[in-house]
Amino acid sequence: MIKVLLVDDQSLIRQGLRALLELEPDLEIVGEAENGENAINLVAQLQPDVVLLDIRMPIMDGVAATQEIHKRFPSIKVLVLTTFDDDQYVTAALQNGAMGYLLKDTPSEELAVAIRAVHKGYTQLGPGIVRKLLTQFPSTAVTQSPPAPPSLAELTPREKEVLRLIATGASNREIAQELYISEGTVKNHVTNILNRLNLRDRTQAAIFANTFLSYLSQNT
């Protein structure tokens, strides 16, 4: 059972999240907090596995709370769920220890999947968030044109297609629709890609793919 702490200054949001997530048999909502300060106190008491928190809150915001939770309880994962996708919030949250950053329009089933993934140590970012992060990295593919690593050539044509779409920030659902395959098949492809390229998570895969985007475009 994955223990989840909900942190949001709006009680209706917390109630809605609780109602949705409690439908998942492996997720348990162990508490709720309305700001970062209360969240830290509850983390110390309840020892949740995952803290699902908003960014903008009174008294102590989500970035400061994430930093403190990561510092004091490094084994506890923080997943940001907010309506704000400003670059400064995304970067600050991830730099201060958040394992994921999703927007509140994320479908409930995808949110549950993200909580499970973060609990296992995988970074989870919404499609739009990936695009924002990628703009912060210089395009070495344009300026230096590095040779493609041998491991990239080992990918199947379908895996290269999936990787190319990951580079655009597409979600598993969007990739499945684009390629006319199931989401389960997409997940299998993503797992194979990460293993073959020795990458930790989807974010690394997106950055890697953008670096070698010209190769992927020519070989898919």
Side-chain angles (χ1 to χ4, degrees), residues 117-199:
V118 164
H119 178 241
K120 293 179 181 178
Y122 295 103
T123 302
Q124 293 292 296
L125 301 174
I129 306 303
V130 172
R131 295 186 187 102
K132 284 181 175 294
L133 283 178
L134 292 174
T135 62
Q136 300 178 32
F137 292 87
S139 178
T140 55
V142 174
T143 59
Q144 299 178 5
S145 299
S151 57
L152 189 55
E154 295 176 3
L155 298 182
T156 66
R158 179 64 87 189
E159 288 168 350
K160 290 174 184 176
E161 286 183 301
V162 171
L163 183 57
R164 178 176 57 80
L165 290 170
I166 288 175
T168 69
S171 66
N172 284 351
R173 176 176 296 179
E174 292 169 332
I175 293 174
Q177 293 173 346
E178 174 73 19
L179 300 180
Y180 299 100
I181 57 179
S182 70
E183 286 189 58
T185 300
V186 174
K187 292 177 183 177
N188 290 337
H189 285 316
V190 172
T191 298
N192 290 339
I193 289 168
L194 296 180
N195 290 336
R196 290 177 189 272
L197 300 180
N198 195 29
L199 300 173

Side-chain angles (χ1 to χ4, degrees), residues 98-112:
M99 289 292 294
Y101 198 110
L102 301 176
L103 298 181
K104 287 182 178 176
D105 60 0
T106 301
S108 58
E109 63 272 16
E110 292 186 15
L111 177 58

